Structures are given as structure tokens and as C-alpha cells.
Amino acid sequence: RTALFSLNILLSEWGNRGIHFWEVTNTSLYLTESQRQYDIYWDSTIRNSTTTYPATTDGSSAYVYNATDILTASYRSGTGTSQNDVTLTKIDRATYAALANKNAEGQPSQFWVQRFIDRVTLTIYLTPGSTQALNYINFYYTRRIQDVGDAYTNASNVPYRFVPCMISGLAFLLAQKNPMAPQKVQ
């Protein structure tokens, strides 16, 4: 148990030093008429990306993708060979705040991302109308690679080139906790 705890601390420390263990992946979310905001929750449990949670209090759909940020997005209509993607422009908070009519409906052309502790909020502009409903936003996002967790059978998702560093770092942390081996810290 001490080793698992120490290993998770080591991985967090690496993140603080700029060695971020994240991956870029792709998924989609369906659009709802007159809804411009979608909450994408970060959850420590790996889940199927199609899992949909009940609507939140502000009416936005809640999805679980383990997302930490959204990099690029496109509005996707059609299916199969008649599928059509239109790239959305990522804007910042000030640009979104300056938009005069945020409830204007039509084909989305822009998006902005707000990151919270437990979720990422994707806000799109223009707000989808009835014609855009049931089409979707396809997006690439970053997600944190899972830590070791509590089960002794879990494997850490560390790239193979970092395994020697992980073993050395874990040995150092365990030696610090062992009162019988203070000389082994060196």
C-alpha cells in the first residue's frame, strides 16, 4: 500500500515538474437544439466515451471523457460517405464575452473552453438550432493517463522509456520511509 501511494505521489511530482502524462484522443458529442454549453466531467474511472450523464442544473449535458482540455473541434453533419466536417475556431473568454447575441442559432463556427477542477466546459457559438440538432461536435482533447490506483494488479501507464526513472524514484521514496535504511536514500 505504501508503494502504491508513493508511486502516485511520484507521478504527481513529475507532473509538477513539467513531465505530464497525458494523451490526445478524439470523440464526439451530439448537439441539442438551443443548447450552447456542454459539461465534460473529469472522472478517475475510465469509462466508455458514449456514457451520458443526466442533464445538470443549467441544462447542459454532462459527459465523462477524462478530458483536461479541448484542443480542436469541428461541426460534423451527415454520416458515412456523406459526412461533412467544418472546423470550429477556438476563441478565448474575452472574445466570447464580446459576442452580442450568444443565443443566435445556426451552424456553430466557434468554441471556447473553460477548465474547472472537476470538468471542462465547452461553449459553442452559434447555438445549434433545429437543423443542427442531432449532428455533433467532433473534438480532440487531452486526458490524463491514469495513475496506479488502489488495486495491486493495476499497471501504471508510464511510457517504457520512463520505467527506469519510475523504479529509481520509487526506491528513493520507499527508502525515505524505511527507518531501518536511512543510508539507502543516497
Side-chain angles (χ1 to χ4, degrees):
R1 187 134 190 90
T2 299
L4 289 175
F5 181 73
S6 296
L7 191 52
N8 286 333
I9 293 295
L10 177 68
L11 295 176
S12 294
E13 181 184 337
W14 285 359
N16 290 336
R17 291 178 181 220
I19 304 171
H20 299 289
F21 289 110
W22 48 267
E23 60 187 354
V24 175
T25 190
N26 174 260
T27 195
S28 300
L29 62 86
Y30 283 95
L31 297 175
T32 303
E33 182 179 357
S34 302
Q35 180 180 328
R36 67 176 179 269
Q37 182 177 324
Y38 298 85
D39 290 327
I40 303 161
Y41 281 88
W42 189 89
D43 190 342
S44 60
T45 307
I46 296 176
R47 298 173 189 249
N48 183 321
S49 63
T50 60
T51 302
T52 305
Y53 280 33
T56 56
T57 55
D58 63 2
S60 61
S61 296
Y63 298 85
V64 176
Y65 297 116
N66 296 332
T68 57
D69 194 10
I70 297 174
L71 304 174
T72 61
S74 61
Y75 169 75
R76 181 171 285 174
S77 60
T79 59
T81 57
S82 63
Q83 178 176 300
N84 185 34
D85 281 2
V86 177
T87 302
L88 302 181
T89 304
K90 188 173 185 176
I91 59 175
D92 61 16
R93 180 187 327 245
T95 304
Y96 182 77
L99 296 172
N101 184 2
K102 294 173 185 63
N103 291 322
E105 291 187 351
Q107 180 177 309
S109 60
Q110 299 173 327
F111 74 100
W112 81 283
V113 177
Q114 189 170 10
R115 295 171 17 169
F116 296 97
I117 292 172
D118 64 338
R119 70 188 182 281
V120 172
T121 298
L122 171 67
T123 305
I124 54 176
Y125 179 82
L126 299 162
T127 303
S130 60
T131 307
Q132 292 79 34
L134 300 180
N135 288 329
Y136 47 99
I137 297 293
N138 184 45
F139 60 95
Y140 285 89
Y141 64 97
T142 58
R143 71 177 178 187
R144 184 173 169 249
I145 294 176
Q146 296 302 304
D147 60 13
V148 178
D150 292 334
Y152 295 109
T153 58
N154 286 355
S156 62
N157 289 330
V158 176
Y160 72 92
R161 67 184 184 276
F162 281 95
V163 171
C165 300
M166 181 182 71
I167 292 169
S168 297
L170 180 59
F172 173 77
L173 291 174
L174 291 175
Q176 284 183 318
K177 293 179 180 183
N178 186 346
M180 304 300 285
Q183 71 279 8
K184 293 185 179 181
V185 171
Q186 294 300 324

